[in-house]
Amino acid sequence: MVKRIRIHEEYCIGCRLCEIICMVKHSASGKIIKAFRKESERPLPRVRVEEEGYTSFALQCRHCDEAPCVENCLTGAMHRDEATGVVLCDEDLCVGCWMCVMSCPFGVVERKEKGKTTVSKCDVCAGKEEIPPCVKNCPNEALTYE
Amino acid sequence: MNRIHAPYLVVGFSVAGRWGARAIRSRDAKKKIVVVSEEEFYSRPLITYSLGKKAKDITYRETIVDESHVDILWGKRVESLDTSRKVAWLQDGTQISFDRALIATGGVPIIPSLHGMDKKGIFSFTRSEDLRKIQEFLRDFPVERVLVLGGGFIGLKTCEAFLHLGLPIVLVELSSRLLPTMLDEEGSRYLEEALSRNGVRVITQDTVEEFRGDRDRLEEVLLRSGEIIPVGMAAVAIGVKPNVEWLRNSGLNIRRGVVVNEFQETSVRGIFAAGDVAETKNLITGEYNVVAIWPEAVRQGKVAGWNMVGAVTSYPGSLPVNSLDLGGLALVSAGIVNPPQEWGGEVLVKREPEEYLKVVLRNNVIVGMVMVGRIERAGLYIHLMRERIVVSDFKNKLLEKNFGLVNLPKDYRKHLVEGVGVEV
Amino acid sequence: MAKSLLFPEFKIERDAERCISCQVCVRQCANEVHSYDPEDDTVYSAEEHCVGCQRCVTLCPTGALEIRKREIGFRPNANWDVASIRNLYKQAETGGVLLTGMGCDKPYPIYWDHLLLNASQVTNPSIDPLREPIEIRTFLGKKEPFLEVAWSEEFAGLKTRLAPQLELSIPVLFSAMSYGSISYNAFRSLVEAAKEIGTFCNSGEGGLHPGFYPLGDWIIVQVASGRFGVTPEYLEVAAAVEIKIGQGAKPGIGGHLPGEKVSPEISRTRRIPVGSDAISPAPHHDIYSIEDLERLVFALKEATRYEKPISVKIAAVHNVAAIASGAVRAGADIVAIDGIRGGTGAAPQVIRDNVGIPIELALAQVDERLRKEGIRHRASIVIAGGIRSSSDVVKAIALGADAVYIGTSALLALGCHLCQKCYTGKCNWGIATQDPYLTKRLNPQMGKRRLVNLLRAWSLEIKEILGGMGINAIESLRGNREQLRAVGLTKEEAQVLGVKMAGEGW
């Protein structure tokens, strides 16, 4: 079965370490201090902590089985990686029509930083990590990968 | 005479046809699917993007359905359909008898009959050959200014392309504002301002009276107001209509499009229709109309395909949704954005210099939305609209910048988040 | 109000080279020490509010923070140490009793560190715990002095009716910490870990939340002077009942849970109205003698149909041996003794740090007294108060205990950093708090796992130690003081402990 990042809102402590680590992992250098202090363009975090009162949880692409963003993509840039089941956006093919942005019921596909005509979404770190860094760095196991 | 029997016949092999065939294949791995496709497969919306050089070409990355598992008759056109005998005749005389058929022939551009329509340099934007012709024209002739006729969705997509090419644009729209069905007045104003900032001249409440040119090539246009504007090229984008001419004598119930019920089935059992050719019930108004957009083509294709194999699935209704990005201004619209006064609904509005958000409610259910500038999480509003979620408990949060899943009732939120994503 | 003379206890060093203004520290500090200024994209820290819990330090992703004890440059003075001066200033400002949390932190001798364990060499073989079984299971409850066996044609078996026992797969239990003093998630971690390991946790004196009733087989419930939450079901679901007479951190003192902490859930648990103060009187007002205690012990035995062991918990005070003897004579199946280093959620600092005696001395004396009186078998001894490691457990058993209670060690396993601010209710680690924003910080699945790991590690170590001694069952070590030797102690101390000096043979 395809592994998914699971969200446990009861244990999200709202520290946003997942967001920070995600930004670092998708930055040019991948080094936390450099990414924040030296790199002029900081990537958007692909996981977002939603907070309201005492409730908070980290939310990223759910990699839906019948993903509307994939179905509605005009170019096929948004696609499912057959091997991993992960929904990925091929930035070279993306034309920035924002069909995925308005198709995603979770609101987790966002336009990329200014000046780019493509979208930003969770890529489960492109399979480069055995456990996604947002999961690994969650201090309270509010995100698990199973 | 060539005779073929098709347990499943699919006419038209673009979005709806492909998703239909995929849905059939997902439930019935064996029986033959015969596809008749006039054109090669490409992504129609990419025509403008490709012209504007945002996309390399108009090819779609995936095949959607494995082409080796369907019999495709490329370059063929169904000439007529005998619904009582369940037979389709192709232009070349081939006769295809079928058990179930899916009509997915899409739409054709509406070409107005204006003086001078035969001049060289006047194009529409619906077929791959249109793109090739425009590109050739732009290569061969110097164009200093281009006229876009039609301030609707395709007209603006066309503007987007010409903006990317750096061409000065004159946009002519007959009604008093741009995107009159997709946007409200305020939304249109944001759009018109963005276009002006990018050097587009927007002319409303006017239209082209005549295309003129000394020789066979377009040189200027005469507007109804009497103004004459020199243009080297014109794009006619006043709309698309369902491609139903070939079905006129089929006996199917056809109004603007092929009328289908909630199972995407036409007035004749066993014959289904999906996509831009189909006239479906609107999710919000309940009225029948053609909603010619990609997402609905996918949904309708899937529903039709499933029902064709007997997996009864109903289509909840079509919901118009559109997005645009013009001169750096992103814009999303969905559902009913200009609610009739007698509805007595509620309209929530947030205005900021670069942002506009309008949510239209009826009986505490979102029925329409406009987002300008910031379009992030548009999908969440649209999802609430589709699922007809009562928003009374979090109505005061709807306009907040961070409105998100966290504001939804806990049970519903958990159902969304902890499952395998969304169930369609 | 004038500016306080109190100086910040801690110094926060933020490495400007490393800080990325990610604000994790800002979001994690319940004491609102850190704040972010968007104008200059900088995080500032108000040291005066820092309690030194190290939450921010632990979570900082760049290691930019360091929190250290502030060295105050008072003129050195052997009498007037910094802590005394600070306390004096605080009382001069507030006029109140100084409160604190956790166990006594004064440098009184820790006798565990002056006791050394024995091992086998040549004449008695040691045992390899990886190859041979070593039994560390133990049973708590009254043991019979002799067993009567019936032997006839129809029936062969035990005639003596055995007293109820608690079976522990490791001689370690989780001490009494009430839901109220600790969070629901913290308590849940303890119960679930106890279940998984095969030991018990103690409800404390705050009653038992109905959510834990199904786990009652792993819970010892307390009956304390306030009688909070004591109902028939409470006694019914539990594995054992403990009468709490005293607590090591505050012998002779009652307790006071302020009304603002009595939330609907706490109210359900304690069976008192929401918002009302929960006052545990200093004494049980129906116990003024051993005879009174006996009446309560037997009342509870009656109520539980003599099916559950009844424990009596007392603080280690000067006359502890005689009191323990009285408790045993009053019918206690287990006597729990809590030493001066035992923890608390809230206690007057002056009591915590000055009243009571170290548990090692109390244990040695209680064990010896009960043996001398010939009643040692009538009750098990469980000790509490500052047990830190598996070696402390083994030494305690050699000194005469049946098992030990661990409280602080368990909390440390859950993430406690010993800031001693439990009484503020703002525990940044989500342990000693009821604030829903903070209680989320303790994921009970993680808590359980960490506790289970701790006890598993200790049980492996205990087996190693026992194997080295050539002992294959923990019960064979109980009270075996020949396995202990004293170092760095006076003769009198060694005598009270009942151990020989290191170097002395058998």
Side-chain angles (χ1 to χ4, degrees), chain B residues 128-191:
Chain B
S128 59
E129 61 196 34
D130 296 332
L131 174 65
R132 193 178 33 79
K133 285 183 198 157
I134 293 164
Q135 281 168 335
E136 277 170 16
F137 186 86
L138 283 169
R139 196 187 55 216
D140 296 343
F141 303 101
V143 173
E144 279 169 10
R145 183 178 295 113
V146 48
L147 176 119
V148 176
L149 178 58
F153 188 66
I154 305 171
L156 283 155
K157 285 273 176 193
T158 311
C159 283
E160 195 182 332
F162 288 134
L163 273 175
H164 274 271
L165 292 177
L167 284 171
I169 303 164
V170 178
L171 177 61
V172 179
E173 163 62 35
L174 185 59
S175 75
S176 60
R177 58 192 179 86
L178 298 180
L179 291 176
T181 49
M182 222 180 107
L183 291 179
D184 60 346
E185 268 180 43
E186 219 163 333
S188 296
R189 199 153 56 237
Y190 277 91
L191 178 64

Side-chain angles (χ1 to χ4, degrees), chain A residues 9-10 50 71 74 97 111, chain B residues 43 302 323 376 406 413:
Chain A
E9 67 172 54
E10 292 83 354
E50 292 201 4
E71 294 179 354
L74 301 183
C97 69
R111 290 177 296 162
Chain B
S43 171
K302 278 161 70 171
S323 66
E376 266 59 45
V406 73
R413 176 176 75 226

Side-chain angles (χ1 to χ4, degrees), chain C residues 402-449:
Chain C
D402 286 85
V404 304
Y405 266 133
I406 57 166
T408 304
S409 288
L411 296 189
L412 286 169
L414 292 178
C416 166
H417 279 56
L418 277 174
C419 73
Q420 306 190 13
K421 296 287 176 185
C422 324
Y423 63 95
T424 62
K426 288 201 271 190
C427 175
N428 270 325
W429 295 90
I431 300 168
T433 177
Q434 302 303 325
D435 179 343
Y437 184 69
L438 299 173
T439 54
K440 287 209 291 183
R441 296 184 182 181
L442 179 58
N443 178 339
Q445 265 118 46
M446 287 172 76
K448 170 193 167 186
R449 192 190 319 136

